[in-house]
C-alpha cells in the first residue's frame, strides 16, 4: 500500500467526514427541541437551560468574544487581504516640519488577516462542538441518562481529558509562534515584499508565482543557476557531514573501546570536552587559525613547507573541504559518545562465537557491529542528515558563506547552504520574498529526502535479519 | 525625515562642501553632517617601507621584510580606488525619495581593464592580504585604513608609526594615483508624525552637529570634523592621520548613494580576483568580466 | 608448540595494533585540544603590554589577568550579559522540559482523535527552516512590546512556545515505560493526572535531565535570533551576541583577547555541566534503546 493510495484514502476520508458532519448538523436541528434550535444562534443556550453552567458560560463567552473581535479588529484586516492595502504613506510638508502620515500597512494586513481566518475556522469548529453537545443532550434525555454536571466536567480535565489539558498550552504556542508565521511567510513568497516595498513606508502586493519563476530562471540576473549551485553544495555537504562523522565517530569509539587500551575514560573525556565549548567561540578561533595570515599558514611558511600562504578561505574548493574537515572535528565527539554507549551493550558472546568461528576483526565489524549500530541509530542518521541540511552555525560562523563570486547572485557564496543564503537575504538585503521562496524550497528538499528515507528505513529495521 | 527651512540653511553654511553634498539627495537635504573623515589612506611601518609613494616599491619592501600589505579589495568601498584612479566612473543618480534612477558606469573600458589588471597583480603578491582592520592583521607592514584605526595603528607600529596618502601605481607603462571615496558621517532623523517631537529631534541633531560638539568628538576619539569652524582648530590641523587623509581627499570623489546590491556585487568581483580566477586571463576576458559587472550595476537602477 | 607460536604472534600483533592506536589517540587529542589551548593562551595575553588583536604566535610573551579583569570591570557589561544568558538558560530549561513532558506524556499514553494528524502536522512543520519565521516573530513580539528592552522575555517566550515540537526523544523514552503500571494504578482509582505525577514522572528522571540539559545548553550559543530580537539594545544581549559584536565590529580594536577570555568563561559552566550529566545525555540520544 503505497503513500499515494494512502493519501487518496485520507482525502476520501476527509470528504466523507465533512459529509457526515453536515448530515449530523441537519439531524440535530430537525430533531431538536426549541432550546437546541436556539443554541444554533446563541451558543451555550441549550447547555445553560439544562443546568450545564460551565459549558454554557464557556460557549457563550466564546461567541461574544468572537463577535467583538470581528467587529473591532478582524473584519477590516480580512477585507484588506485581496489588495494588501491601498492607501500609501505620504509626507505632509505643509507645516513647520515634515510630518509623516501613515497609510495602510501591508504587513499587518497580511498578518492579522491570516489570524482572522484562523479565528473564523476555530469559531466554526467550536460552533460545531456546541451543536454536537446539544445533540448529546437530546440523546441523553431521550435515553433517560443523567447529563454530566460542571463538576464532572472539571474532573474530566484531569482524568479522561487530561491529555487534552496537557496539550492545550503547547498547541497554542505552536499555533501562534510556528503555524501562523509559516503561513505568513508562505504568503509572502507570493508577494513582492522586499527592500523597495517595505511597510510602513510602502505597500506590497500579490505577485503570484513571479518569485518562483525568478528562482528558477537561468540567465545573468536570475536566481536559477545560483539556486542549483547552492542546492548542490547543500546536499553534498549534508551527505559528507553526516556520514563522515558517523563512520569516523564509530571508528573512534571502537578504537577506544578495544581491549588493551588503558585510560579509556581519559580519551573520551578529552574528546567530549570539545562538545561543551560553545561553537561560536571555537569556530571563530579556528577561522582565524586558517586565515591567510593566520597560525596555520604562519607555521607552514616558517617551517618552509610551502612557499606562499594557502588561501584556505578564499578558494572555493579549499574552503569547502576545510569546512567538512572542521565539521568532522566538531561532530566526532558526539558520535563517539553515542556509539560508545551503544557498543557497550552489544552482547560479548556474539563476538566470542564469531571469533571461535574464525572471523577476523573486519568481518566481525561488518556482520555484528555495523548492523547493530545501524539498527539503533537509523532514525538518528535521518534526523542528523536533515539537520545538517540546515546546519547554519558551522557554515555561518566559519565563512559566512563566502567566498562570493560574480557567478552567484543574491549575495550567495560558494560555501552557502540554502539556509545561510536565506538568512543573508533576510538580514542583509531585506529581500523577504526571495527568502520566503527559498525557505519553501528548503522545506521541499527536506520533505522529499525524509519521505524517501522513511521508505528505506523499515527494511533496515528488520529485526529477524539482524539476528 | 527631510531637513527644511532654517535647519537646511544651518547645514549648508556651517559644513564643508563635500559634507553638504553627501547630505543632499536630489535637491533635498536629509541629514546633518558630523564628520568629514570617512575616507581612507595608508598607515605604514617607517622601518619597513622606504618609499610610500609607489605601490610597487611598498609591496616589494613588504615582501623583503616578510610583512604584509593589507587592502580590502573585495569591498566595494576600497575597490574603487583602483577604478577611479584610471578614470572610470561609477555613480548613481537618485531622486528625493532615494530611488535610483540612473547608473553612470564606465568600468567596461580600457581604463577599467587596466585597473582590474593591477588589482589582480596586487592580489598575486605573497605579502598581499585582504583586509582593512588593523586589529585583524597579524604582521602588517602597510595597511589601507581610515582614521578610526589611528589609535590601534599607533599601538601596532609604535615608534615606526607613519601615515601617508595613497600611493601611485603603474600598469602597462602608465602611472596613476589611487583615488577612491571621500566619505562623511551623517546624522539622520526618523520620520515623525508629531510636529513638536519633530522639532525636538531637529534641535538635538543640530546641536550634535555643531562646531562645539564636533571638536569635542575629535578630542575624545579622533573623528575629523565636517564643521568648518571646528576644522580651523589647531589640534585638528596638526593631526597626522587627518592630514594624510586631507591630502588623499583631494584625489577622491565624494561618496554618493549606492544600492545595497552594488556592494554585494563588488565583493563578488573582489572575491573572484582573490580566488585567482583571473590569474591568466587575457585583456579580452577581463573586458567581458567588466562588461558583465557594468551591466549588472546598471540593472540596479530601475 | 604450534599453539604457543600462534598465541605469541597474536599477542605481538595485539601489541603493535595497540601501540598504533595509542599514537593515533594521542595525535587526536592534540588536534582536538589545540584550538582550546590556543584560546586559553590568547585570553591571557594582555591588551596593554602586547597588542590585543591577532598575532602570529600562540604563547603570549607575558601572562596577565587583564582580559578577565576587564570583563568584570565597570565599562564592560559582560556580567550583565552573562546573567542574561543564565536567566534565559534556566527559564528555558525548566519551561521547555515541562512543555515537552506534557506533550510526550499525552502522545505516549493516550490515543485520541486527531492524534495522528497532530503528529504528522508537527513533523511537517519541523521541516520548515527556523529562520523563515524570524521576521514574522520579531514583529509579533514587537506588537506585544517584547523586543529590545524586553528582548529576554521575548526570547524565552518564543523558545518555550514551540518547545513542544521536540517531543520525539522523550516520547520514545516514555513509550518504553510499561502501560501495565498505568493500568494497575487506574484500577486503584487514581485519576490520569495523579498517575502521571506520582508514578510515571519519577521513572522518567533520565529523560527529564536530558531534556533540561539540552535546553540549558542551547541559549549560550544562540546568536541568530537573539541578535535580531535585541537589536540595538545592548543590555538585552546574551553572551553569544555580545562577544560576536566585539570581534565583528572593526572599530573595537584589540578586543580579540577579551573575546577569548569571554569565551573561556562561557565554556566553563557548560563544560562542567555537560561532563557531570554525560550519562543522561547518552541515554537520551539513544532514545532509551540501551537500557539495563
Amino acid at each position: 500500500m503505497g503513500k499515494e493510495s494512502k493519501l487518496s484514502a485520507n482525502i476520501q476520508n476527509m470528504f466523507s467526514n465533512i459529509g457526515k458532519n453536515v448530515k449530523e448538523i441537519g439531524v440535530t436541528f430537525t430533531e431538536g427541541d426549541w432550546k437546541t434550535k436556539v443554541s444554533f444562534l446563541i451558543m451555550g443556550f441549550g447547555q445553560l437551560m439544562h443546568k450545564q453552567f460551565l459549558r454554557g458560560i464557556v460557549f457563550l463567552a466564546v461567541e461574544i468574544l468572537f463577535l467583538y473581535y470581528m467587529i473591532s479588529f478582524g473584519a477590516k484586516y480580512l477585507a484588506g487581504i485581496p489588495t494588501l492595502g491601498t492607501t500609501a504613506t505620504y509626507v505632509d510638508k505643509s507645516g513647520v516640519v515634515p510630518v509623516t502620515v501613515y497609510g495602510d500597512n501591508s504587513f499587518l494586513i497580511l498578518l492579522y488577516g491570516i489570524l482572522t481566518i484562523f479565528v473564523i475556522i476555530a469559531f466554526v469548529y467550536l460552533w460545531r462542538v456546541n451543536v454536537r453537545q446539544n445533540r448529546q443532550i437530546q440523546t441523553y434525555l431521550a435515553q433517560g441518562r443523567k447529563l454530566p454536571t460542571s463538576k464532572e466536567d472539571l474532573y474530566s480535565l484531569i482524568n479522561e481529558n487530561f491529555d487534552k489539558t496537557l496539550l492545550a498550552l503547547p498547541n497554542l504556542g505552536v499555533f501562534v509562534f510556528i503555524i501562523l508565521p509559516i503561513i505568513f511567510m508562505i504568503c509572502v513568497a507570493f508577494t513582492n515584499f522586499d527592500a523597495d516595498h517595505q511597510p510602513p513606508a510602502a505597500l506590497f502586493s500579490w505577485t503570484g508565482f513571479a518569485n518562483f519563476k525568478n528562482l528558477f530562471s537561468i540567465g545573468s540576473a536570475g536566481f536559477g543557476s545560483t539556486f542549483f549551485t547552492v542546492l548542490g553544495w547543500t546536499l553534498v555537504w549534508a551527505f559528507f557531514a553526516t556520514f563522515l562523522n558517523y563512520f569516523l565517530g564509530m571508528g573512534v569509539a571502537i578504537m577506544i573501546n578495544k581491549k588493551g587500551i588503558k585510560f579509556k575514560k581519559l580519551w573520551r573525556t578529552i574528546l567530549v570536552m570539545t562538545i561543551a565549548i560553545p561553537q561560536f567561540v571555537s569556530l571563530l578561533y579556528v577561522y582565524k587559525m586558517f586565515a591567510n595570515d593566520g597560525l596555520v599558514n604562519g607555521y607552514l611558511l616558517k617551517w618552509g613547507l610551502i612557499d606562499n600562504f594557502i588561501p584556505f578561505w578564499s578558494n572555493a574548493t579549499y574552503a569547502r573541504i576545510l569546512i567538512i574537515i572542521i565539521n568532522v572535528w566538531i561532530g566526532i565527539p558526539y558520535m563517539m559518545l553515542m556509539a560508545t554507549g551503544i557498543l557497550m551493550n552489544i552482547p560479548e558472546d556474539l563476538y566470542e562465537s564469531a571469533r571461535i568461528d574464525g572471523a577476523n576483526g573486519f568481518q566481525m565489524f561488518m556482520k555484528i557491529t555495523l548492523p547493530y549500530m545501524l539498527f539503533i541509530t537509523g532514525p538518528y542518521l535521518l534526523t542528523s542528515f536533515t539537520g545538517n541540511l540546515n546546519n547554519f552555525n558551522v557554515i555561518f560562523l566559519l565563512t559566512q558563506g563566502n567566498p562570493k563570486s560574480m557567478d552567484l547572485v543574491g549575495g550567495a557564496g560558494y560555501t552557502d547552504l540554502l539556509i545561510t543564503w536565506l538568512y543573508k537575504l533576510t538580514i542583509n538585503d531585506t529581500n523577504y520574498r526571495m527568502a520566503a521562496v527559498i525557505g519553501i524550497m528548503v522545506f521541499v528538499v527536506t520533505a522529499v529526502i525524509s519521505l524517501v528515507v522513511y521508505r528505506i528505513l523499515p527494511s533496515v529495521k528488520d529485526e529477524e535479519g539482524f539476528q | 525625515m527631510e531637513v527644511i527651512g532654517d535647519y537646511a540653511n544651518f547645514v549648508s553654511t556651517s559644513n564643508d562642501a563635500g559634507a553638504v553634498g553627501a547630505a543632499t539627495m536630489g535637491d533635498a537635504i536629509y541629514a546633518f553632517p558630523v564628520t568629514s573623515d570617512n575616507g581612507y589612506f595608508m598607515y605604514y611601518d617607517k622601518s619597513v617601507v622606504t618609499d610610500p609613494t609607489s605601490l610597487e616599491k611598498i609591496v616589494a619592501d613588504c615582501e623583503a621584510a616578510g610583512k604584509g600589505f593589507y587592502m580590502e579589495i573585495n569591498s566595494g568601498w576600497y575597490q574603487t580606488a583602483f577604478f577611479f584612479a584610471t578614470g572610470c566612473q561609477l555613480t548613481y543618480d537618485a531622486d528625493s525619495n532615494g530611488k535610483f534612477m540612473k547608473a553612470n558606469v564606465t568600468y567596461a573600458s580600457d581604463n577599467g581593464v587596466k585597473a582590474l589588471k593591477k588589482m589582480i597583480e596586487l592580489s598575486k603578491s605573497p605579502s598581499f592580504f585582504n583586509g582593512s582592520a588593523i586589529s585583524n592583521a597579524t604582521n602588517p607592514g602597510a595597511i589601507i585604513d581610515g582614521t578610526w584605526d589611528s589609535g590601534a595603528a599607533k599601538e601596532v607600529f609604535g615608534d615606526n608609526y607613519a601615515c601617508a596618502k595613497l600611493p601611485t601605481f603603474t600598469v602597462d607603462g602608465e602611472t596613476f594615483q589611487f583615488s577612491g571615496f571621500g566619505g562623511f558621517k551623517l546624522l539622520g532623523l526618523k520620520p515623525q508624525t508629531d510636529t513638536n517631537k519633530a522639532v525636538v529631534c531637529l534641535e538635538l541633531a543640530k546641536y550634535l552637529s555643531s562646531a562645539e560638539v564636533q571638536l569635542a568628538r575629535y578630542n575624545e576619539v579622533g573623528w575629523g570634523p565636517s564643521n568648518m569652524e571646528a576644522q580651523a582648530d589647531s589640534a585638528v590641523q596638526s593631526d597626522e592621520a587627518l592630514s594624510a587623509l586631507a591630502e588623499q581627499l583631494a584625489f577622491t570623489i565624494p561618496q554618493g548613494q549606492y544600492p545595497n546590491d552594488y556592494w554585494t556585487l563588488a565583493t563578488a568581483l573582489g572575491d573572484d580576483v582573490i580566488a585567482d580566477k583571473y590569474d591568466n586571463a587575457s585583456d579580452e576576458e577581463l573586458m567581458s568580466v567588466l562588461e558583465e559587472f557594468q551591466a549588472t550595476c546598471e540593472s540596479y537602477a530601475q | 608448540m604450534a599453539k604457543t607460536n600462534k598465541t605469541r604472534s597474536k599477542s605481538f600483533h595485539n601489541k603493535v595494533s595497540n601501540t598504533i592506536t595509542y599514537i593515533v589517540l594521542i595525535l587526536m587529542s592534540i588536534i582536538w585540544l589545540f584550538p582550546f589551548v590556543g584560546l586559553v593562551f590568547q585570553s591571557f595575553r594582555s591588551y596593554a603590554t602586547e597588542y590585543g588583536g591577532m598575532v602570529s604566535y600562540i604563547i603570549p610573551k607575558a601572562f596577565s589577568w587583564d582580559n578577565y579583569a576587564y570583563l568584570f570591570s565597570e565599562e564592560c557589561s559582560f556580567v550583565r550579559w552573562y546573567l542574561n544568558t543564565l536567566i534565559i538558560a534556566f527559564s528555558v530549561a525548566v519551561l521547555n522540559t515541562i512543555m515537552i513532558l506534557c506533550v510526550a506524556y499525552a502522545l505516549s499514553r493516550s490515543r485520541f482523535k486527531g492524534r495522528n494528524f497532530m503528529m504528522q502536522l508537527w513533523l511537517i512543520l519541523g521541516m520548515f527552516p527556523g529562520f523563515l519565521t524570524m521576521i514574522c516573530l520579531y514583529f509579533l513580539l514587537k506588537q506585544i512590546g517584547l523586543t529590545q528592552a524586553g528582548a529576554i522575555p521575548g526570547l524565552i517566550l518564543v523558545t518555550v512556545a514551540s518547545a513542544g515540537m521536540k517531543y520525539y526523544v522523550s516520547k520514545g523514552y516514555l513509550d518504553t515505560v510499561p502501560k501495565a503500571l498505568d493500568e494497575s494504578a487506574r484500577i486503584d482509582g487514581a485519576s490520569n493526572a495523579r498517575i502521571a505525577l506520582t508514578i510515571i514522572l519519577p521513572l522518567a528522571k533520565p529523560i527529564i535531565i536530558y531534556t533540561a540539559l539540552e535546553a540549558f545548553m542551547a541559549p549560550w550559543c544562540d546568536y541568530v535570533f537573539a541578535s535580531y530580537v535585541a537589536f540595538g539594545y545592548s543590555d538585552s544581549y546574551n553572551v553569544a551576541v555580545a562577544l560576536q559584536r566585539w570581534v565583528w565590529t572593526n572599530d573595537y580594536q584589540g578586543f580579540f583577547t577579551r573575546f577569548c577570555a569571554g569565551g573561556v568563561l562561557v565554556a566553563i559552566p557548560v563544560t562542567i555541566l555537560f561532563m557531570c550529566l554525560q550519562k543522561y545525555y547518552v541515554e537520551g540520544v539513544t532514545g532509551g534503546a540501551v537500557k539495563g
Side-chain angles (χ1 to χ4, degrees):
Chain A
M1 182 183 200
K3 276 258 162 16
E4 307 80 28
S5 47
K6 230 163 120 187
L7 182 63
S8 62
N10 274 338
I11 295 184
Q12 272 180 327
N13 269 341
M14 204 171 71
F15 278 118
S16 67
N17 254 335
I18 295 183
K20 268 198 294 192
N21 271 314
V22 171
K23 189 152 157 242
E24 206 181 318
I25 294 178
V27 164
T28 315
F29 191 76
T30 45
E31 290 182 4
D33 61 10
W34 70 274
K35 296 182 209 137
T36 312
K37 290 196 173 63
V38 172
S39 290
F40 272 68
L41 214 52
I42 306 180
M43 283 167 55
F45 186 73
Q47 287 91 329
L48 280 173
M49 287 290 111
H50 291 283
K51 303 218 178 34
Q52 285 185 322
F53 292 116
L54 186 64
R55 294 189 187 189
I57 293 180
V58 164
F59 278 112
L60 200 56
V62 163
E63 180 162 8
I64 295 178
L65 275 174
F66 174 73
L67 288 172
Y68 174 72
Y69 170 81
M70 285 304 286
I71 297 175
S72 67
F73 192 74
K76 68 172 190 270
Y77 283 112
L78 196 59
I81 286 226
T83 59
L84 287 180
T86 45
T87 330
T89 308
Y90 66 95
V91 181
D92 180 5
K93 294 197 194 162
S94 54
V96 169
V97 291
V99 164
T100 313
V101 178
Y102 285 107
D104 287 339
N105 188 325
S106 301
F107 185 93
L108 292 178
I109 290 180
L110 188 59
L111 184 63
Y112 293 141
I114 297 179
L115 182 63
T116 311
I117 293 181
F118 274 110
V119 166
I120 294 180
I121 295 179
F123 178 71
V124 167
Y125 175 74
L126 284 173
W127 181 83
R128 171 80 189 88
V129 171
N130 168 51
V131 165
R132 176 176 302 140
Q133 286 202 343
N134 276 297
R135 171 127 191 85
Q136 193 192 56
I137 292 176
Q138 296 288 154
T139 340
Y140 277 19
L141 285 178
Q143 294 170 353
R145 286 161 65 177
K146 192 164 93 76
L147 298 172
T149 65
S150 303
K151 215 158 92 172
E152 285 168 359
D153 280 338
L154 277 178
Y155 184 71
S156 82
L157 277 182
I158 58 172
N159 204 16
E160 311 91 61
N161 289 329
F162 186 51
D163 48 2
K164 299 203 180 51
T165 317
L166 282 180
L167 287 175
L169 211 53
N171 265 319
L172 184 65
V174 166
F175 172 73
V176 173
F177 288 95
I178 302 273
I179 298 186
L180 193 58
I182 286 184
I183 306 247
F184 176 81
M185 287 312 281
I186 294 182
C187 288
V188 166
F190 294 97
T191 68
N192 59 358
F193 185 12
D194 61 15
D196 293 328
H197 297 92
Q198 268 199 48
L203 300 166
F204 61 80
S205 50
W206 300 106
T207 56
F209 284 95
N211 296 327
F212 288 90
K213 266 194 248 153
N214 189 16
L215 186 71
F216 291 111
S217 66
I218 316 290
S220 65
F223 274 59
S225 66
T226 308
F227 173 68
F228 286 111
T229 313
V230 175
L231 176 66
W233 161 243
T234 309
L235 290 172
V236 166
W237 148 264
F239 177 79
F240 276 113
T242 314
F243 289 102
L244 216 56
N245 279 8
Y246 185 75
F247 286 110
L248 286 180
M250 204 176 3
V252 172
I254 294 178
M255 198 163 57
I256 298 186
N257 211 28
K258 246 168 41 145
K259 282 212 242 296
I261 304 293
K262 297 209 257 284
F263 311 120
K264 285 199 186 8
K265 203 132 184 250
L266 173 69
W267 303 120
R268 292 203 191 110
T269 312
I270 290 181
L271 288 178
V272 162
M273 258 169 53
T274 66
I275 299 183
I277 310 219
Q279 279 183 354
F280 72 89
V281 172
S282 48
L283 285 179
L284 185 76
Y285 190 75
V286 171
Y287 170 72
K288 285 194 185 279
M289 258 173 63
F290 284 94
N292 284 350
D293 52 354
L295 277 176
V296 173
N297 271 319
Y299 280 112
L300 285 178
L301 280 170
K302 207 161 27 153
W303 297 333
L305 291 172
I306 52 177
D307 286 326
N308 233 345
F309 55 79
I310 305 180
F312 284 113
W313 298 121
S314 24
N315 181 312
T317 323
Y318 290 165
R320 286 174 170 178
I321 297 181
L322 192 57
I323 287 185
I324 293 183
I325 294 182
I326 294 183
N327 186 57
V328 165
W329 175 74
I330 290 194
I332 281 195
Y334 282 104
M335 193 53 219
M336 181 212 73
L337 205 57
M338 198 163 54
T340 310
I342 299 176
L343 281 175
M344 296 212 277
N345 279 276
I346 302 182
E348 259 308 305
D349 29 327
L350 275 178
Y351 286 114
E352 278 309 316
S353 44
R355 208 168 288 131
I356 292 176
D357 287 345
N360 67 14
F362 185 66
Q363 284 171 323
M364 288 200 291
F365 174 73
M366 291 299 288
K367 287 270 161 46
I368 304 179
T369 324
L370 192 56
Y372 189 85
M373 287 285 303
L374 280 176
F375 170 65
I376 299 219
T377 55
Y380 170 77
L381 264 182
L382 177 63
T383 45
S384 172
F385 187 81
T386 50
N388 270 324
L389 280 178
N390 289 340
N391 191 343
F392 182 83
N393 268 354
V394 175
I395 304 280
F396 193 76
L397 290 173
L398 276 179
T399 59
Q400 299 92 55
N402 294 332
K404 295 200 174 78
S405 164
M406 293 277 289
D407 296 331
L408 303 172
V409 300
Y414 276 116
T415 53
D416 258 328
L417 301 180
L418 284 174
I419 185 115
T420 56
W421 191 23
L422 191 161
Y423 177 79
K424 285 203 268 198
L425 281 174
T426 309
I427 301 287
N428 296 343
D429 294 348
T430 55
N431 194 342
Y432 298 123
R433 56 186 173 93
M434 289 316 289
V437 172
I438 293 181
I440 296 180
M441 287 297 129
V442 171
F443 164 72
V444 167
V445 169
T446 316
V448 164
I449 295 187
S450 303
L451 276 175
V452 165
V453 175
Y454 267 131
R455 288 192 188 218
I456 308 181
L457 213 51
S459 62
V460 175
K461 271 182 159 181
D462 188 1
E463 256 177 286
E464 305 314 306
F466 162 67
Q467 289 305 329
Chain B
M1 177 166 86
E2 201 187 318
V3 181
I4 55 179
D6 286 338
Y7 296 102
N9 269 341
F10 167 77
V11 167
S12 51
T13 50
S14 17
N15 295 289
D16 62 43
V20 177
T24 312
M25 193 151 60
D27 49 3
I29 297 188
Y30 70 98
F32 288 81
V34 163
T35 69
S36 280
D37 72 346
N38 216 33
Y40 43 88
F41 51 98
M42 190 172 71
Y43 295 105
Y44 64 96
D45 188 327
K46 266 193 299 216
S47 63
V48 170
V49 174
T50 49
D51 177 10
T53 57
S54 154
L55 178 69
E56 289 75 26
K57 293 222 191 72
I58 297 174
V59 175
D61 283 341
C62 287
E63 280 178 18
K67 299 264 183 190
F69 177 81
Y70 285 80
M71 183 173 180
E72 198 174 338
I73 63 176
N74 73 347
S75 153
W77 202 48
Y78 292 94
Q79 204 182 75
T80 52
F82 285 97
F83 288 96
F84 291 174
T86 56
C88 297
Q89 193 194 23
L90 202 168
T91 54
Y92 283 85
D93 297 335
D95 66 11
S96 329
N97 286 328
K99 205 158 151 49
F100 293 100
M101 312 303 297
K102 186 164 167 299
N104 312 306
V105 191
T106 58
Y107 273 33
S109 59
D110 289 330
N111 289 339
V113 173
K114 289 190 194 126
L116 189 56
K117 279 213 295 214
K118 192 62 199 179
M119 214 161 84
I120 296 172
E121 191 190 310
L122 177 62
S123 77
K124 284 203 244 188
S125 159
S127 61
F128 166 76
F129 294 103
N130 190 64
S132 69
I134 198 162
S135 353
N136 285 335
T138 47
N139 225 352
I143 181 170
I144 312 284
D145 202 344
T147 54
W148 53 89
D149 259 348
S150 61
K154 285 198 189 103
E155 274 197 37
V156 174
F157 293 132
D159 289 330
N160 292 321
Y161 168 78
C163 314
K165 69 160 179 48
L166 294 181
T168 60
F169 63 89
T170 312
V171 59
D172 286 351
E174 281 177 81
T175 310
F176 301 96
Q177 160 67 46
F178 264 127
S179 169
F181 279 130
F184 313 87
K185 292 217 207 339
L186 306 163
L187 211 57
L189 296 121
K190 184 171 168 210
Q192 299 297 330
T193 48
D194 177 74
T195 311
N196 289 329
K197 200 167 166 197
V199 173
V200 170
C201 292
L202 283 163
E203 282 297 325
L204 180 63
K206 182 173 168 196
Y207 172 69
L208 287 174
S209 111
S210 67
E212 174 193 342
V213 174
Q214 287 201 20
L215 207 48
R217 227 179 260 122
Y218 167 73
N219 287 324
E220 272 297 310
V221 283
W223 288 11
S226 66
N227 183 297
M228 296 192 285
E229 199 187 307
Q231 281 172 354
D233 184 273
S234 56
V236 176
Q237 299 269 338
S238 65
D239 186 298
E240 240 179 345
L242 282 178
S243 10
L245 177 65
E247 220 184 310
Q248 176 62 24
L249 275 179
F251 301 108
T252 61
I253 300 179
Q255 183 175 352
Q257 304 299 319
Y258 290 86
N260 267 346
D261 291 320
Y262 158 70
W263 305 105
T264 317
L265 184 66
T267 304
L269 180 65
D271 271 347
D272 273 343
V273 168
I274 297 175
D276 300 333
K277 190 164 164 203
Y278 305 127
D279 266 4
N280 297 316
S282 67
D283 282 5
E284 290 80 34
E285 286 166 346
L286 292 180
M287 177 64 100
S288 66
V289 170
L290 286 172
E291 271 162 12
E292 197 190 326
F293 186 87
Q294 181 166 317
T296 321
C297 281
E298 282 161 359
S299 74
Y300 294 143
Q302 243 116 51
Chain C
M1 289 299 110
K3 202 162 169 204
T4 25
N5 270 344
K6 196 167 173 202
T7 33
R8 208 189 309 151
S9 76
K10 195 145 175 254
S11 79
F12 176 71
H13 178 257
N14 267 347
K15 273 220 181 68
V16 168
S17 80
N18 276 357
T19 326
I20 298 182
T21 313
Y22 274 123
I23 295 181
V24 169
L25 283 176
I26 294 180
L27 272 175
M28 275 181 66
S29 302
I30 296 181
I31 298 179
W32 253 254
L33 284 184
F34 180 71
F36 303 114
V37 169
L39 208 66
V40 172
F41 274 133
Q42 296 290 321
S43 72
F44 285 117
R45 197 176 79 226
S46 166
Y47 177 63
T49 59
E50 295 161 52
Y51 176 58
M54 272 305 289
V55 290
S56 50
Y57 50 89
I58 311 179
I59 308 194
K61 301 203 170 70
F63 282 78
S64 88
W65 289 98
D66 274 2
N67 296 318
Y68 291 95
Y70 173 79
L71 289 178
F72 289 103
S73 72
E74 280 286 310
E75 32 175 278
C76 172
S77 313
F78 186 75
V79 182
R80 168 113 210 177
W81 296 323
Y82 208 80
L83 276 171
N84 283 349
T85 321
L86 265 179
I87 294 176
I88 299 179
F90 268 119
S91 321
V92 164
V94 169
L95 293 171
N96 261 20
T97 313
I98 296 179
M99 288 286 253
I100 293 183
L101 277 178
C102 285
V103 175
Y105 180 80
L107 288 179
S108 160
R109 278 306 182 256
S110 59
R111 303 282 176 271
F112 53 90
K113 202 170 79 165
R115 173 180 179 267
N116 275 338
F117 171 71
M118 190 179 109
M119 284 171 62
Q120 281 174 358
L121 179 65
W122 284 20
L123 186 67
I124 295 183
L125 286 178
M127 294 186 194
F128 279 97
F131 298 139
L132 194 56
T133 56
M134 221 163 48
I135 56 151
C136 187
L137 285 175
Y138 176 74
F139 277 101
L140 270 177
L141 289 178
K142 197 158 145 186
Q143 301 293 336
I144 328 179
L146 283 180
T147 55
Q148 282 157 338
I152 311 255
L155 210 52
I156 299 180
L157 181 62
V158 168
T159 318
V160 171
S162 54
M165 282 172 62
K166 306 196 193 95
Y167 64 85
Y168 299 102
V169 175
S170 304
K171 170 171 174 298
Y173 188 89
L174 285 178
D175 279 343
T176 64
V177 175
K179 297 228 168 58
L181 285 173
D182 291 49
E183 288 310 317
S184 52
R186 203 166 291 132
I187 294 177
D188 289 342
S191 70
N192 276 348
R194 165 89 60 88
I195 297 178
L197 285 171
T198 57
I199 300 182
I200 309 295
L201 212 57
L203 286 176
K205 195 169 87 145
I207 209 65
I208 295 181
I209 298 187
Y210 165 74
T211 313
L213 182 62
E214 281 265 307
F216 186 82
M217 279 178 25
W220 296 94
C221 316
D222 174 24
Y223 170 71
V224 178
F225 195 58
S227 72
Y228 204 62
V229 165
F231 188 73
Y233 193 79
S234 79
D235 269 354
S236 297
Y237 286 166
N238 67 2
V239 269
V241 177
L243 290 180
Q244 286 289 68
R245 284 230 124 88
W246 278 358
V247 187
W248 289 45
T249 316
N250 283 339
D251 275 7
Y252 279 63
Q253 316 113 348
F255 266 50
F256 180 67
T257 46
R258 293 176 187 167
F259 170 85
C260 294
V264 171
L265 283 182
V266 169
I268 292 182
V270 178
T271 314
I272 296 180
L273 207 60
F274 193 82
M275 306 296 267
C276 296
L277 301 171
Q278 232 183 78
K279 175 173 75 150
Y280 297 106
Y281 184 81
V282 175
E283 274 203 53
V285 172
T286 55
V290 187
K291 275 231 310 253

